[in-house]
Amino acid sequence: MKFVPDYTVIYCDKDIAVLNKRSGLLVAADRYDAAAPRLDLSAEREFGKLFAVHRIDKDTSGIIVYARTAEAHKALSMQFENRKVEKIYHCLVNGRPLWETLRVDLKLQVDGDSRHRTVANQRSGKTSVTDFRLLGVCGPYSWIEARPKTGRTHQIRAHLAENGFFIVCDPLYGGNQKPVRLSDVKRNWHGDGEEEKPLLNRLALHAYGIEFAHPLSGKKMCFTAPYPRDMEAVRKQFEKIFSVDPLK
């Protein structure tokens, strides 16, 4: 098994650290799983004390921004609270949307059922908006871009689910843990089915891009996070087979 580091560094200065995290790491302490591996604890060995200003799901890979000082933490937190930060996610879903773009404006209630899922609730839910764009169709799958305008827990997954779409390998919302295998999409595949390793077998959601103002200088900062190895393998194979590339 190849070693996968907890993160790679996208950018760092004395005020902020922008990291590309692997799937399977919490961004900060979690009340449900105090013993789960954490990105902040791992990265603090390199950067010293880090302050979380936003979160992405444990099983989501991609961009995370940490503040390195209390002053930067306050300024960045205000940007997220006031919705001044642009966030871009890429995901692979099962099925094919009939739309090219879709805005979902639906009140969501976090921890709304016995499985701790985020659910639609027009009465007691909080305002939640996500803009979706179809990036390309690849046989039984579709690449989708999501730009959440609010920051509710599981917002993208919940908004997709309410519209009949589920991210690949999302058992919590889709009830489907089926991995992506080359044999499922490539005609005349002649490998050994028992020996075949999946291209991807975890939640296919990646925090791809982020834009915000530097907390001290005010300069506009724009970053993207390369796909991790598993999503990149899927992207390359799907580009060969379907001539579709979500990055172009």
Side-chain angles (χ1 to χ4, degrees):
M1 180 180 293
K2 293 183 179 180
F3 171 73
V4 179
D6 286 347
Y7 64 91
T8 55
V9 180
I10 298 174
Y11 174 84
C12 179
D13 62 25
K14 64 182 180 64
D15 301 301
I16 62 174
V18 184
L19 309 180
N20 185 2
K21 89 171 186 77
R22 69 170 174 84
S23 172
L25 286 178
L26 291 171
V27 171
D30 182 86
R31 60 176 172 160
Y32 297 114
D33 192 353
R38 286 169 48 185
L39 175 63
D40 59 340
L41 297 182
S42 177
E44 281 179 353
R45 292 194 288 268
E46 178 176 357
F47 299 104
K49 177 65 176 177
L50 294 174
F51 301 84
V53 294
H54 69 123
R55 298 183 183 229
I56 61 177
D57 297 345
K58 172 185 173 183
D59 295 323
T60 302
S61 58
I63 285 185
I64 281 292
V65 181
Y66 286 106
R68 301 187 67 189
T69 68
E71 185 180 4
H73 177 239
K74 180 179 180 180
L76 281 173
S77 295
M78 288 299 294
Q79 287 188 57
F80 278 93
E81 184 177 336
N82 294 326
R83 303 177 188 174
K84 300 294 185 181
V85 179
E86 181 76 11
K87 296 166 285 184
I88 305 169
Y89 290 75
H90 286 184
C91 60
L92 187 68
V93 304
N94 295 292
R96 177 175 185 162
L98 297 178
W99 40 262
E100 293 293 326
T101 61
L102 176 71
R103 165 163 282 208
V104 181
D105 185 346
L106 188 64
K107 290 186 177 181
L108 295 177
Q109 180 181 349
V110 175
D111 198 10
D113 66 11
S114 60
R115 298 184 65 189
H116 305 296
R117 291 183 295 191
T118 297
V119 300
N121 189 319
Q122 290 299 103
R123 176 176 295 180
S124 57
K126 294 184 178 180
T127 299
S128 307
V129 180
T130 309
D131 288 330
F132 293 101
R133 181 166 66 96
L134 178 63
L135 298 176
V137 176
C138 299
Y141 304 105
S142 296
W143 290 108
I144 289 178
E145 175 190 272
R147 293 180 180 247
K149 305 304 178 183
T150 48
R152 312 302 175 203
T153 300
H154 296 178
Q155 176 174 314
I156 293 170
R157 297 158 74 182
H159 275 170
L160 283 171
E162 288 293 328
N163 283 273
F165 289 95
F166 304 99
I167 297 174
V168 167
C169 292
D170 187 356
L172 184 61
Y173 287 85
N176 185 354
Q177 193 63 39
K178 183 182 178 182
V180 178
R181 298 180 185 275
L182 187 58
S183 58
D184 291 334
V185 294
K186 187 175 182 179
R187 293 181 180 179
N188 302 318
W189 185 81
H190 300 296
D192 185 335
E194 294 185 358
E195 295 293 327
E196 182 187 12
K197 294 181 179 179
L199 297 174
L200 183 147
N201 61 0
R202 57 90 179 177
L203 182 72
L205 179 60
H206 181 67
Y208 177 69
I210 196 165
E211 299 178 9
F212 59 93
H214 189 278
L216 269 71
S217 71
K219 179 182 177 181
K220 184 178 180 180
M221 313 288 283
C222 304
F223 301 104
T224 57
Y227 284 7
R229 187 179 298 149
D230 50 8
M231 284 188 71
E232 180 64 7
V234 173
R235 184 190 70 82
K236 287 182 176 179
Q237 290 293 342
F238 282 11
E239 183 182 18
K240 291 178 183 177
I241 297 169
F242 302 105
S243 299
V244 171
D245 186 348
L247 299 182
K248 293 182 179 178

